[in-house]
Amino acid sequence: FLGFIGACIDIHDRKTTEAALQDSEQKLRELSESQKRFVADAAHELRNPLTAIQGNMDLLVRYQDIPEEEKKDIIQDVQKEASRLGRLVHDMLQLARGDSGAGLHEDHLQLSEVLLDAFRDMERMGCHHQFTVAELHPIELIGDADRLRQLAIILLENALKYTPAGGRVQLALTREGDTAVMRVADTGMGISQEDLPRVFERFYRADPSRYRGEDPGGTGLGLPIARWIVDGHGGEIHLQSELGQGTTVEVRLPIWLED
Ligand code: ADP
């Protein structure tokens, strides 16, 4: 009888091992697919600013007698594209580090102070907006102070980038039981219902033709990085938006402290 039980356990074990193996093979396949897509998308994104820089440099080298004014414009364009290239590489490195399982720090921090710090950093960019803090509830928690600051900066920067001058951008931090709730609300151009489900995809940017004036020149990596930071803290991030009305991003983080 014991032998029979042993054989059953053996078969059961083998089956669970096979299922686990198939499961990890499937995960590996998915990972490899998403890595391939990331590399292809990254190459595509890097090519645009590079081509622009090369084209402008060719002009400068080939035609020595370009008028000074025009030369200045060309150089400014090179500068703009080079800084876009820098931003792309910086954001890509950050996501690659996340993918390779780089962990988060566990700092004992005051979330309200971290957010206030980020807000102050963005004040200059927000000087043409009604850029305000609605409420900052003091909340202590364990988390990665640098990454949480970066999260706030990504959301505030997006709100300012996609809200025309004069519009409202507001930051708030409240507490709901054991959850810290951070909200960044703007009265900007909003996101269409079509684009909304895709904004957390890497490199995804809603149709740039809808920008009045100049394209604010994002990388399409801000929200994926934001989600990575929130996931790493065991939280959730939700985006609510209406085209032409504005956007509110809500981040919910579980509050945990050392025992
Ligand atoms: P980007 O660097 O382009 O801003 P993100 O990943 O941060 O990339 O955002 C993806 C896209 O989502 C943006 O290109 C923009 O179209 C849209 N988006 C993000 N935040 C906002 C916002 N507050 N208002 C309107 N559109 C937004």
Side-chain angles (χ1 to χ4, degrees):
F1 175 69
L2 282 180
F4 172 69
I5 300 241
C8 285
I9 291 177
D10 211 33
I11 290 171
H12 178 261
D13 276 359
R14 216 173 318 134
K15 275 197 177 148
T16 26
T17 321
E18 269 170 26
L21 258 175
Q22 271 173 5
D23 204 35
S24 26
E25 268 172 21
Q26 169 74 14
K27 281 204 180 105
L28 267 177
R29 252 198 310 273
E30 278 170 17
L31 193 66
S32 148
E33 273 309 306
S34 85
Q35 295 285 19
K36 270 191 218 153
R37 205 175 331 125
F38 183 62
V39 171
D41 289 347
H44 178 81
E45 291 295 323
L46 292 171
R47 206 169 43 199
N48 290 342
L50 253 181
T51 312
I53 292 173
Q54 274 165 343
N56 279 324
M57 294 309 281
D58 275 356
L59 274 180
L60 288 178
V61 171
R62 210 173 299 167
Y63 305 103
Q64 307 288 330
D65 52 354
I66 301 176
E68 274 313 303
E69 264 315 294
E70 233 172 279
K71 234 188 229 169
K72 228 161 74 196
D73 286 349
I74 295 175
I75 291 169
Q76 261 170 8
D77 208 40
V78 169
Q79 235 171 3
K80 199 179 89 195
E81 295 298 336
S83 88
R84 176 169 171 71
L85 210 51
R87 264 200 319 272
L88 271 164
V89 171
H90 172 272
D91 288 356
M92 280 179 206
L93 278 176
Q94 171 110 42
L95 277 172
R97 263 187 229 124
D99 286 345
S100 65
L104 295 170
H105 286 167
E106 293 189 358
D107 308 314
H108 193 145
L109 55 92
Q110 272 283 356
L111 189 55
S112 40
E113 279 172 18
V114 172
L115 298 193
L116 190 59
D117 200 37
F119 177 84
R120 294 217 169 104
D121 257 24
M122 300 304 296
E123 261 179 326
R124 215 161 63 98
M125 185 176 170
C127 67
H128 300 299
H129 293 81
Q130 301 171 54
F131 188 45
T132 56
V133 174
E135 182 184 3
L136 276 186
H137 193 89
I139 298 176
E140 257 179 83
L141 52 78
I142 305 277
D144 189 319
D146 287 341
R147 296 287 80 88
L148 289 171
R149 187 169 166 282
Q150 184 187 10
L151 167 71
I153 287 186
I154 290 172
L155 301 183
L156 291 171
E157 195 177 332
N158 273 354
L160 291 169
K161 255 187 335 196
Y162 302 113
T163 301
R168 203 164 357 106
V169 172
Q170 204 171 49
L171 167 71
L173 175 67
T174 54
R175 182 177 184 138
E176 289 177 16
D178 285 339
T179 307
V181 184
M182 165 185 162
R183 277 194 198 94
V184 175
D186 67 59
T187 57
M189 58 179 57
I191 305 167
S192 72
Q193 295 308 306
E194 237 168 57
D195 286 319
L196 207 52
R198 302 200 56 192
V199 290
F200 286 101
E201 287 173 23
R202 293 175 177 191
F203 299 114
Y204 189 79
R205 307 191 62 220
D207 179 15
S209 65
R210 70 203 174 105
Y211 303 126
R212 254 175 284 129
E214 216 186 327
D215 176 354
T219 59
L221 293 175
L223 287 178
I225 293 175
R227 171 163 275 174
W228 170 70
I229 296 170
V230 174
D231 284 350
H233 285 83
E236 288 171 16
I237 180 165
H238 302 285
L239 223 129
Q240 233 185 11
S241 189
E242 214 169 305
L243 207 56
Q245 299 295 315
T247 304
T248 299
V249 186
E250 184 180 276
V251 173
R252 303 178 72 85
L253 299 173
I255 300 171
W256 62 280
L257 288 161
E258 281 155 319
D259 297 324

